[in-house]
Amino acid sequence: MAKPKLSPQQQAQVLAQRIQAQVVRAAGKGLMAAAIFLAARVKETMSEPAPRKRTPGGGYRATTRATPGAPIRKLSGRARGSVFRRQISDTQVAVGTNAKSDKGFNYPKYHERPMRGQSGSGKHRFIAPTVRQYRAELARIIGRVTTVEMR
């Protein structure tokens, strides 16, 4: 039997309940649990699909311009699939993405950080706003107040 289709508001409620349950399960489990939680939230942020069409080279391009200030949108899923979490030391973890275009351009970094000489850079941030949004949950999972450094 098929599940009934949920409205966007109901889907948001279900997602909020899942996130809360994950926070409760992971509470006090430490830094790596927080990194896993944050990586999942970053992927969710990047999951909004863009209207797209195939290019002659086999890739995709968006058919509409992105809203200024909105997170990057999903075209092929390459950026979302490249989200990583890594423990650097006992007191540090890294959460980020290392996707590159076919020509080697680091487009997630371009969208996340303003860069000198690149006027469109930093306009579609997705990691920093996600960290700010879930700061309280991250502190609860880690078990103490934390500091965040963006590089």
Side-chain angles (χ1 to χ4, degrees), residues 39-104:
R41 301 298 77 80
V42 168
K43 286 181 179 184
E44 286 170 2
T45 300
M46 299 168 70
S47 293
E48 181 67 32
R52 66 187 184 165
K53 74 176 192 179
R54 273 213 178 272
T55 61
Y60 295 99
R61 82 170 181 79
T63 57
T64 60
R65 296 188 64 78
T67 304
I72 63 174
R73 301 176 299 168
K74 181 173 65 101
L75 285 172
S76 67
R78 184 182 292 180
R80 188 179 71 168
S82 74
V83 171
F84 67 86
R85 60 190 187 276
R86 188 172 302 129
Q87 187 148 6
I88 298 169
S89 70
D90 289 343
T91 60
Q92 292 181 322
V93 293
V95 175
T97 178
N98 54 10
K100 294 198 176 5
S101 70
D102 292 335
K103 295 180 182 176

CSV table of all heavy atoms in Angstrom, one decimal, residues 39-104:
chain,number,residue,atom,x,y,z
A,39,ALA,N,27.1,17.3,8.7
A,39,ALA,CA,27.2,16.9,7.3
A,39,ALA,C,25.9,16.5,6.7
A,39,ALA,O,25.5,16.9,5.6
A,39,ALA,CB,28.2,15.7,7.2
A,40,ALA,N,25.0,15.8,7.5
A,40,ALA,CA,23.7,15.5,7.0
A,40,ALA,C,22.8,16.7,6.8
A,40,ALA,O,22.1,16.8,5.8
A,40,ALA,CB,23.0,14.6,8.0
A,41,ARG,N,22.9,17.7,7.7
A,41,ARG,CA,22.2,19.0,7.5
A,41,ARG,C,22.7,19.8,6.3
A,41,ARG,O,21.9,20.4,5.6
A,41,ARG,CB,22.3,19.8,8.8
A,41,ARG,CG,21.8,19.2,10.1
A,41,ARG,CD,20.3,18.8,10.1
A,41,ARG,NE,19.9,17.6,9.5
A,41,ARG,CZ,20.1,16.4,9.9
A,41,ARG,NH1,20.6,16.1,11.1
A,41,ARG,NH2,19.6,15.3,9.2
A,42,VAL,N,24.0,19.8,6.1
A,42,VAL,CA,24.5,20.5,4.9
A,42,VAL,C,24.0,19.8,3.6
A,42,VAL,O,23.6,20.5,2.7
A,42,VAL,CB,26.1,20.5,4.9
A,42,VAL,CG1,26.7,21.0,3.6
A,42,VAL,CG2,26.6,21.4,6.1
A,43,LYS,N,24.0,18.5,3.6
A,43,LYS,CA,23.4,17.8,2.4
A,43,LYS,C,22.0,18.2,2.2
A,43,LYS,O,21.5,18.3,1.1
A,43,LYS,CB,23.6,16.3,2.6
A,43,LYS,CG,25.0,15.8,2.4
A,43,LYS,CD,25.1,14.3,2.5
A,43,LYS,CE,26.5,13.9,2.3
A,43,LYS,NZ,26.6,12.4,2.3
A,44,GLU,N,21.2,18.2,3.3
A,44,GLU,CA,19.8,18.6,3.2
A,44,GLU,C,19.7,20.0,2.6
A,44,GLU,O,18.8,20.3,1.7
A,44,GLU,CB,19.1,18.6,4.5
A,44,GLU,CG,18.8,17.2,5.0
A,44,GLU,CD,18.3,17.2,6.4
A,44,GLU,OE1,18.2,18.2,7.1
A,44,GLU,OE2,18.1,16.1,7.0
A,45,THR,N,20.5,20.9,3.1
A,45,THR,CA,20.5,22.3,2.6
A,45,THR,C,20.8,22.4,1.1
A,45,THR,O,20.2,23.2,0.3
A,45,THR,CB,21.6,23.2,3.3
A,45,THR,OG1,21.2,23.1,4.7
A,45,THR,CG2,21.6,24.6,2.9
A,46,MET,N,21.7,21.5,0.6
A,46,MET,CA,22.1,21.5,-0.8
A,46,MET,C,21.1,20.7,-1.7
A,46,MET,O,21.4,20.5,-2.9
A,46,MET,CB,23.5,20.9,-0.9
A,46,MET,CG,24.5,21.7,-0.2
A,46,MET,SD,26.1,20.8,0.0
A,46,MET,CE,26.6,20.8,-1.7
A,47,SER,N,20.1,20.1,-1.1
A,47,SER,CA,19.2,19.2,-1.9
A,47,SER,C,18.1,19.8,-2.6
A,47,SER,O,17.3,19.1,-3.3
A,47,SER,CB,18.7,18.1,-0.9
A,47,SER,OG,19.7,17.3,-0.4
A,48,GLU,N,18.0,21.1,-2.6
A,48,GLU,CA,16.9,21.8,-3.4
A,48,GLU,C,17.2,21.7,-4.8
A,48,GLU,O,18.2,22.2,-5.3
A,48,GLU,CB,16.8,23.3,-2.9
A,48,GLU,CG,15.7,24.0,-3.6
A,48,GLU,CD,14.3,23.6,-3.3
A,48,GLU,OE1,14.1,23.1,-2.1
A,48,GLU,OE2,13.4,23.6,-4.1
A,49,PRO,N,16.4,21.0,-5.6
A,49,PRO,CA,16.8,20.8,-7.0
A,49,PRO,C,16.5,22.1,-7.8
A,49,PRO,O,15.6,22.8,-7.6
A,49,PRO,CB,15.8,19.7,-7.5
A,49,PRO,CG,14.7,19.8,-6.6
A,49,PRO,CD,15.2,20.3,-5.3
A,50,ALA,N,17.4,22.4,-8.7
A,50,ALA,CA,17.3,23.5,-9.6
A,50,ALA,C,16.6,23.0,-10.9
A,50,ALA,O,16.9,21.9,-11.4
A,50,ALA,CB,18.7,24.1,-10.0
A,51,PRO,N,15.8,23.9,-11.5
A,51,PRO,CA,15.2,23.5,-12.8
A,51,PRO,C,16.4,23.4,-13.8
A,51,PRO,O,17.3,24.3,-13.8
A,51,PRO,CB,14.3,24.7,-13.2
A,51,PRO,CG,14.2,25.5,-12.0
A,51,PRO,CD,15.3,25.2,-11.1
A,52,ARG,N,16.6,22.3,-14.5
A,52,ARG,CA,17.8,22.1,-15.3
A,52,ARG,C,17.5,21.5,-16.7
A,52,ARG,O,16.4,21.0,-16.9
A,52,ARG,CB,18.7,21.2,-14.5
A,52,ARG,CG,18.1,19.8,-14.4
A,52,ARG,CD,18.9,19.0,-13.5
A,52,ARG,NE,18.3,17.6,-13.5
A,52,ARG,CZ,18.9,16.5,-13.1
A,52,ARG,NH1,20.1,16.6,-12.5
A,52,ARG,NH2,18.3,15.4,-13.1
A,53,LYS,N,18.6,21.6,-17.5
A,53,LYS,CA,18.5,20.9,-18.8
A,53,LYS,C,19.9,20.4,-19.1
A,53,LYS,O,20.9,21.0,-18.6
A,53,LYS,CB,18.0,21.8,-19.9
A,53,LYS,CG,18.9,22.9,-20.4
A,53,LYS,CD,18.2,23.6,-21.5
A,53,LYS,CE,19.2,24.5,-22.2
A,53,LYS,NZ,18.6,25.2,-23.3
A,54,ARG,N,20.0,19.4,-19.9
A,54,ARG,CA,21.3,18.8,-20.3
A,54,ARG,C,22.0,19.7,-21.2
A,54,ARG,O,21.4,20.3,-22.1
A,54,ARG,CB,21.1,17.4,-20.9
A,54,ARG,CG,21.0,16.3,-19.9
A,54,ARG,CD,21.6,15.1,-20.6
A,54,ARG,NE,21.7,14.0,-19.7
A,54,ARG,CZ,22.7,13.7,-18.9
A,54,ARG,NH1,23.7,14.5,-18.8
A,54,ARG,NH2,22.7,12.7,-18.1
A,55,THR,N,23.3,19.7,-21.1
A,55,THR,CA,24.1,20.5,-22.1
A,55,THR,C,24.7,19.5,-23.1
A,55,THR,O,24.7,18.3,-22.9
A,55,THR,CB,25.3,21.2,-21.4
A,55,THR,OG1,26.1,20.2,-20.7
A,55,THR,CG2,24.8,22.2,-20.3
A,56,PRO,N,25.1,20.0,-24.3
A,56,PRO,CA,25.6,19.1,-25.3
A,56,PRO,C,26.8,18.3,-24.8
A,56,PRO,O,27.1,17.2,-25.2
A,56,PRO,CB,26.1,20.1,-26.4
A,56,PRO,CG,25.2,21.3,-26.2
A,56,PRO,CD,25.0,21.4,-24.7
A,57,GLY,N,27.6,18.8,-23.8
A,57,GLY,CA,28.7,18.1,-23.3
A,57,GLY,C,28.3,17.0,-22.3
A,57,GLY,O,29.2,16.3,-21.8
A,58,GLY,N,27.1,16.8,-22.0
A,58,GLY,CA,26.6,15.8,-21.1
A,58,GLY,C,26.4,16.2,-19.6
A,58,GLY,O,26.0,15.4,-18.8
A,59,GLY,N,26.7,17.5,-19.3
A,59,GLY,CA,26.4,18.0,-18.0
A,59,GLY,C,25.1,18.6,-17.9
A,59,GLY,O,24.2,18.3,-18.7
A,60,TYR,N,24.9,19.4,-16.8
A,60,TYR,CA,23.6,20.1,-16.6
A,60,TYR,C,23.8,21.6,-16.5
A,60,TYR,O,24.9,22.0,-16.0
A,60,TYR,CB,22.9,19.6,-15.4
A,60,TYR,CG,22.5,18.1,-15.4
A,60,TYR,CD1,23.3,17.1,-14.9
A,60,TYR,CD2,21.3,17.8,-16.0
A,60,TYR,CE1,22.9,15.8,-14.9
A,60,TYR,CE2,20.9,16.4,-16.1
A,60,TYR,CZ,21.7,15.5,-15.5
A,60,TYR,OH,21.3,14.2,-15.6
A,61,ARG,N,22.8,22.4,-16.7
A,61,ARG,CA,22.9,23.8,-16.4
A,61,ARG,C,21.5,24.2,-15.9
A,61,ARG,O,20.5,23.7,-16.4
A,61,ARG,CB,23.4,24.6,-17.5
A,61,ARG,CG,22.4,25.0,-18.6
A,61,ARG,CD,22.9,26.1,-19.5
A,61,ARG,NE,21.9,26.4,-20.5
A,61,ARG,CZ,20.9,27.2,-20.3
A,61,ARG,NH1,20.8,27.8,-19.1
A,61,ARG,NH2,20.0,27.4,-21.2
A,62,ALA,N,21.4,25.1,-15.0
A,62,ALA,CA,20.2,25.6,-14.5
A,62,ALA,C,19.5,26.4,-15.5
A,62,ALA,O,20.1,27.2,-16.3
A,62,ALA,CB,20.4,26.4,-13.2
A,63,THR,N,18.2,26.3,-15.6
A,63,THR,CA,17.4,27.1,-16.6
A,63,THR,C,16.9,28.4,-16.0
A,63,THR,O,16.3,29.2,-16.7
A,63,THR,CB,16.2,26.2,-17.1
A,63,THR,OG1,15.4,25.8,-16.0
A,63,THR,CG2,16.7,25.0,-17.8
A,64,THR,N,17.0,28.6,-14.7
A,64,THR,CA,16.6,29.8,-14.0
A,64,THR,C,17.8,30.3,-13.2
A,64,THR,O,18.5,29.5,-12.6
A,64,THR,CB,15.4,29.7,-13.2
A,64,THR,OG1,15.6,28.7,-12.1
A,64,THR,CG2,14.2,29.3,-14.0
A,65,ARG,N,17.9,31.6,-12.9
A,65,ARG,CA,18.9,32.1,-12.1
A,65,ARG,C,18.6,31.8,-10.6
A,65,ARG,O,17.4,31.8,-10.2
A,65,ARG,CB,19.1,33.6,-12.3
A,65,ARG,CG,19.5,34.0,-13.7
A,65,ARG,CD,19.9,35.4,-13.9
A,65,ARG,NE,21.0,35.9,-13.1
A,65,ARG,CZ,22.3,35.7,-13.3
A,65,ARG,NH1,22.6,35.0,-14.4
A,65,ARG,NH2,23.2,36.2,-12.6
A,66,ALA,N,19.6,31.6,-9.8
A,66,ALA,CA,19.4,31.4,-8.4
A,66,ALA,C,19.0,32.6,-7.7
A,66,ALA,O,19.4,33.7,-8.1
A,66,ALA,CB,20.7,30.8,-7.8
A,67,THR,N,18.3,32.5,-6.6
A,67,THR,CA,17.9,33.6,-5.8
A,67,THR,C,19.1,34.1,-5.0
A,67,THR,O,19.8,33.3,-4.3
A,67,THR,CB,16.8,33.2,-4.8
A,67,THR,OG1,15.7,32.6,-5.5
A,67,THR,CG2,16.4,34.3,-3.9
A,68,PRO,N,19.5,35.4,-5.1
A,68,PRO,CA,20.6,35.9,-4.3
A,68,PRO,C,20.5,35.6,-2.8
A,68,PRO,O,19.5,35.8,-2.2
A,68,PRO,CB,20.6,37.4,-4.6
A,68,PRO,CG,19.9,37.5,-5.9
A,68,PRO,CD,18.9,36.4,-5.9
A,69,GLY,N,21.6,35.0,-2.2
A,69,GLY,CA,21.6,34.7,-0.8
A,69,GLY,C,21.1,33.3,-0.5
A,69,GLY,O,21.3,32.8,0.6
A,70,ALA,N,20.4,32.6,-1.4
A,70,ALA,CA,19.9,31.3,-1.2
A,70,ALA,C,21.1,30.3,-1.3
A,70,ALA,O,22.1,30.6,-2.0
A,70,ALA,CB,18.8,30.9,-2.2
A,71,PRO,N,21.0,29.1,-0.7
A,71,PRO,CA,22.1,28.1,-0.8
A,71,PRO,C,22.2,27.6,-2.2
A,71,PRO,O,21.2,27.8,-3.0
A,71,PRO,CB,21.6,27.0,0.1
A,71,PRO,CG,20.5,27.5,0.9
A,71,PRO,CD,19.9,28.7,0.2
A,72,ILE,N,23.3,27.0,-2.6
A,72,ILE,CA,23.4,26.5,-3.9
A,72,ILE,C,22.4,25.4,-4.1
A,72,ILE,O,21.9,24.8,-3.2
A,72,ILE,CB,24.8,25.9,-4.2
A,72,ILE,CG1,25.2,24.7,-3.2
A,72,ILE,CG2,25.9,27.0,-4.0
A,72,ILE,CD1,26.5,24.0,-3.6
A,73,ARG,N,22.0,25.2,-5.4
A,73,ARG,CA,20.9,24.3,-5.7
A,73,ARG,C,21.5,23.0,-6.4
A,73,ARG,O,22.6,23.1,-6.9
A,73,ARG,CB,19.9,24.9,-6.7
A,73,ARG,CG,19.3,26.1,-6.1
A,73,ARG,CD,18.4,26.8,-7.0
A,73,ARG,NE,19.1,27.3,-8.2
A,73,ARG,CZ,18.5,27.7,-9.3
A,73,ARG,NH1,17.2,27.8,-9.4
A,73,ARG,NH2,19.2,28.1,-10.3
A,74,LYS,N,20.8,21.9,-6.3
A,74,LYS,CA,21.3,20.7,-6.8
A,74,LYS,C,21.1,20.6,-8.3
A,74,LYS,O,19.9,20.7,-8.8
A,74,LYS,CB,20.6,19.5,-6.1
A,74,LYS,CG,21.1,18.2,-6.6
A,74,LYS,CD,20.5,17.1,-5.7
A,74,LYS,CE,19.0,17.0,-5.9
A,74,LYS,NZ,18.5,16.0,-6.7
A,75,LEU,N,22.1,20.4,-9.1
A,75,LEU,CA,22.0,20.2,-10.5
A,75,LEU,C,22.3,18.7,-10.8
A,75,LEU,O,21.4,17.9,-11.1
A,75,LEU,CB,22.9,21.0,-11.4
A,75,LEU,CG,22.5,22.5,-11.5
A,75,LEU,CD1,23.6,23.3,-12.1
A,75,LEU,CD2,21.3,22.6,-12.3
A,76,SER,N,23.5,18.3,-10.6
A,76,SER,CA,23.9,16.9,-10.9
A,76,SER,C,24.0,16.1,-9.6
A,76,SER,O,24.0,14.9,-9.6
A,76,SER,CB,25.2,16.8,-11.6
A,76,SER,OG,26.3,17.3,-10.8
A,77,GLY,N,24.2,16.8,-8.4
A,77,GLY,CA,24.3,16.1,-7.2
A,77,GLY,C,25.8,15.9,-6.8
A,77,GLY,O,26.1,15.3,-5.8
A,78,ARG,N,26.7,16.4,-7.6
A,78,ARG,CA,28.1,16.2,-7.4
A,78,ARG,C,28.6,16.9,-6.1
A,78,ARG,O,29.3,16.3,-5.3
A,78,ARG,CB,28.9,16.7,-8.6
A,78,ARG,CG,30.4,16.5,-8.5
A,78,ARG,CD,31.2,17.1,-9.7
A,78,ARG,NE,30.8,16.4,-10.9
A,78,ARG,CZ,31.3,16.7,-12.1
A,78,ARG,NH1,32.2,17.7,-12.2
A,78,ARG,NH2,31.0,16.0,-13.1
A,79,ALA,N,28.2,18.1,-5.9
A,79,ALA,CA,28.6,18.8,-4.7
A,79,ALA,C,28.0,18.2,-3.4
A,79,ALA,O,28.7,18.0,-2.5
A,79,ALA,CB,28.1,20.3,-4.8
A,80,ARG,N,26.7,17.8,-3.5
A,80,ARG,CA,26.1,17.2,-2.3
A,80,ARG,C,26.8,15.8,-2.0
A,80,ARG,O,27.0,15.5,-0.9
A,80,ARG,CB,24.6,17.0,-2.6
A,80,ARG,CG,23.9,16.5,-1.4
A,80,ARG,CD,22.5,16.3,-1.7
A,80,ARG,NE,22.3,15.2,-2.5
A,80,ARG,CZ,21.1,14.6,-2.8
A,80,ARG,NH1,20.0,15.1,-2.3
A,80,ARG,NH2,21.0,13.6,-3.6
A,81,GLY,N,27.1,15.1,-3.1
A,81,GLY,CA,27.8,13.8,-2.9
A,81,GLY,C,29.2,13.9,-2.4
A,81,GLY,O,29.8,12.9,-1.9
A,82,SER,N,29.8,15.1,-2.5
A,82,SER,CA,31.2,15.3,-2.1
A,82,SER,C,31.3,15.8,-0.6
A,82,SER,O,32.4,16.1,-0.2
A,82,SER,CB,31.9,16.2,-3.0
A,82,SER,OG,31.5,17.5,-2.9
A,83,VAL,N,30.2,16.0,0.0
A,83,VAL,CA,30.3,16.5,1.4
A,83,VAL,C,31.0,15.5,2.3
A,83,VAL,O,30.7,14.3,2.2
A,83,VAL,CB,28.9,16.8,2.0
A,83,VAL,CG1,28.9,17.1,3.5
A,83,VAL,CG2,28.2,17.9,1.2
A,84,PHE,N,32.0,16.0,3.0
A,84,PHE,CA,32.8,15.1,3.8
A,84,PHE,C,32.8,15.5,5.3
A,84,PHE,O,32.5,16.7,5.6
A,84,PHE,CB,34.2,15.0,3.3
A,84,PHE,CG,35.0,16.2,3.4
A,84,PHE,CD1,35.7,16.5,4.6
A,84,PHE,CD2,35.1,17.1,2.4
A,84,PHE,CE1,36.4,17.7,4.7
A,84,PHE,CE2,35.8,18.3,2.5
A,84,PHE,CZ,36.4,18.6,3.7
A,85,ARG,N,33.2,14.6,6.1
A,85,ARG,CA,33.4,15.0,7.6
A,85,ARG,C,34.7,14.2,7.9
A,85,ARG,O,34.9,13.1,7.5
A,85,ARG,CB,32.3,14.5,8.4
A,85,ARG,CG,32.0,13.1,8.3
A,85,ARG,CD,30.7,12.7,9.0
A,85,ARG,NE,30.6,11.2,9.1
A,85,ARG,CZ,30.1,10.5,8.1
A,85,ARG,NH1,29.7,11.1,7.0
A,85,ARG,NH2,30.0,9.2,8.2
A,86,ARG,N,35.6,14.9,8.6
A,86,ARG,CA,36.9,14.3,8.9
A,86,ARG,C,37.3,14.8,10.3
A,86,ARG,O,37.2,15.9,10.6
A,86,ARG,CB,37.9,14.7,7.8
A,86,ARG,CG,39.2,14.1,7.9
A,86,ARG,CD,40.1,14.4,6.7
A,86,ARG,NE,39.4,14.1,5.4
A,86,ARG,CZ,39.2,14.9,4.4
A,86,ARG,NH1,39.6,16.1,4.4
A,86,ARG,NH2,38.6,14.5,3.3
A,87,GLN,N,37.8,13.9,11.1
A,87,GLN,CA,38.4,14.2,12.4
A,87,GLN,C,39.8,14.6,12.2
A,87,GLN,O,40.6,13.8,11.7
A,87,GLN,CB,38.2,13.1,13.4
A,87,GLN,CG,38.6,13.6,14.8
A,87,GLN,CD,37.8,12.9,15.9
A,87,GLN,OE1,37.1,12.0,15.6
A,87,GLN,NE2,38.1,13.3,17.1
A,88,ILE,N,40.2,15.8,12.5
A,88,ILE,CA,41.6,16.3,12.3
A,88,ILE,C,42.4,16.0,13.6
A,88,ILE,O,43.6,15.6,13.5
A,88,ILE,CB,41.6,17.8,12.1
A,88,ILE,CG1,40.8,18.1,10.8
A,88,ILE,CG2,42.9,18.4,12.0
A,88,ILE,CD1,40.5,19.5,10.5
A,89,SER,N,41.8,16.2,14.7
A,89,SER,CA,42.5,15.9,16.0
A,89,SER,C,41.4,15.5,17.0
A,89,SER,O,40.2,15.5,16.7
A,89,SER,CB,43.3,17.1,16.5
A,89,SER,OG,42.5,18.1,16.9
A,90,ASP,N,41.8,15.4,18.3
A,90,ASP,CA,40.9,15.1,19.3
A,90,ASP,C,39.9,16.2,19.6
A,90,ASP,O,38.8,16.0,20.1
A,90,ASP,CB,41.6,14.7,20.6
A,90,ASP,CG,42.3,13.4,20.6
A,90,ASP,OD1,41.9,12.6,19.7
A,90,ASP,OD2,43.1,13.1,21.4
A,91,THR,N,40.3,17.4,19.2
A,91,THR,CA,39.5,18.6,19.4
A,91,THR,C,39.0,19.3,18.2
A,91,THR,O,38.4,20.3,18.3
A,91,THR,CB,40.2,19.6,20.3
A,91,THR,OG1,41.4,20.0,19.6
A,91,THR,CG2,40.6,19.0,21.6
A,92,GLN,N,39.2,18.7,17.0
A,92,GLN,CA,38.8,19.4,15.8
A,92,GLN,C,38.3,18.4,14.7
A,92,GLN,O,38.8,17.3,14.6
A,92,GLN,CB,40.0,20.1,15.1
A,92,GLN,CG,40.6,21.2,15.8
A,92,GLN,CD,41.7,21.8,15.1
A,92,GLN,OE1,42.5,21.1,14.5
A,92,GLN,NE2,41.8,23.1,15.1
A,93,VAL,N,37.2,18.8,14.1
A,93,VAL,CA,36.7,18.1,12.9
A,93,VAL,C,36.5,19.1,11.8
A,93,VAL,O,36.4,20.3,12.0
A,93,VAL,CB,35.3,17.4,13.2
A,93,VAL,CG1,35.5,16.2,14.2
A,93,VAL,CG2,34.3,18.3,13.7
A,94,ALA,N,36.5,18.5,10.6
A,94,ALA,CA,36.2,19.4,9.4
A,94,ALA,C,35.0,18.8,8.7
A,94,ALA,O,34.8,17.6,8.6
A,94,ALA,CB,37.4,19.3,8.5
A,95,VAL,N,34.1,19.7,8.3
A,95,VAL,CA,33.0,19.4,7.5
A,95,VAL,C,33.0,20.3,6.3
A,95,VAL,O,33.1,21.5,6.5
A,95,VAL,CB,31.6,19.5,8.2
A,95,VAL,CG1,30.4,19.3,7.3
A,95,VAL,CG2,31.6,18.6,9.4
A,96,GLY,N,33.0,19.7,5.1
A,96,GLY,CA,33.1,20.6,3.9
A,96,GLY,C,32.7,19.8,2.7
A,96,GLY,O,32.2,18.7,2.7
A,97,THR,N,33.1,20.3,1.5
A,97,THR,CA,32.8,19.7,0.3
A,97,THR,C,34.0,19.9,-0.6
A,97,THR,O,34.6,21.0,-0.6
A,97,THR,CB,31.5,20.1,-0.4
A,97,THR,OG1,31.4,19.5,-1.7
A,97,THR,CG2,31.4,21.6,-0.6
A,98,ASN,N,34.4,19.0,-1.4
A,98,ASN,CA,35.6,19.1,-2.3
A,98,ASN,C,35.2,18.9,-3.8
A,98,ASN,O,36.1,18.4,-4.5
A,98,ASN,CB,36.7,18.2,-1.8
A,98,ASN,CG,36.3,16.8,-1.7
A,98,ASN,OD1,35.2,16.4,-2.2
A,98,ASN,ND2,37.1,15.9,-1.1
A,99,ALA,N,34.0,19.2,-4.1
A,99,ALA,CA,33.6,18.9,-5.5
A,99,ALA,C,34.3,19.9,-6.5
A,99,ALA,O,34.6,21.0,-6.1
A,99,ALA,CB,32.1,19.1,-5.7
A,100,LYS,N,34.6,19.5,-7.7
A,100,LYS,CA,35.1,20.3,-8.7
A,100,LYS,C,34.4,20.0,-10.0
A,100,LYS,O,33.8,19.0,-10.2
A,100,LYS,CB,36.6,20.0,-8.9
A,100,LYS,CG,37.4,20.4,-7.7
A,100,LYS,CD,38.9,20.5,-8.0
A,100,LYS,CE,39.8,21.0,-7.0
A,100,LYS,NZ,39.4,21.2,-5.7
A,101,SER,N,34.3,21.1,-10.8
A,101,SER,CA,33.7,20.9,-12.1
A,101,SER,C,34.6,20.0,-13.0
A,101,SER,O,35.7,19.7,-12.6
A,101,SER,CB,33.5,22.2,-12.8
A,101,SER,OG,34.7,22.8,-13.2
A,102,ASP,N,34.1,19.7,-14.2
A,102,ASP,CA,34.9,18.8,-15.1
A,102,ASP,C,36.2,19.5,-15.5
A,102,ASP,O,37.2,18.9,-15.8
A,102,ASP,CB,34.1,18.5,-16.4
A,102,ASP,CG,32.9,17.6,-16.1
A,102,ASP,OD1,33.0,16.8,-15.1
A,102,ASP,OD2,32.0,17.6,-16.9
A,103,LYS,N,36.2,20.9,-15.4
A,103,LYS,CA,37.4,21.6,-15.8
A,103,LYS,C,38.2,22.0,-14.6
A,103,LYS,O,39.2,22.7,-14.7
A,103,LYS,CB,37.0,22.9,-16.5
A,103,LYS,CG,36.3,22.7,-17.8
A,103,LYS,CD,35.9,24.0,-18.5
A,103,LYS,CE,35.2,23.6,-19.8
A,103,LYS,NZ,34.7,24.9,-20.5
A,104,GLY,N,37.9,21.4,-13.4
A,104,GLY,CA,38.7,21.6,-12.2
A,104,GLY,C,38.3,22.8,-11.3
A,104,GLY,O,39.0,23.1,-10.4
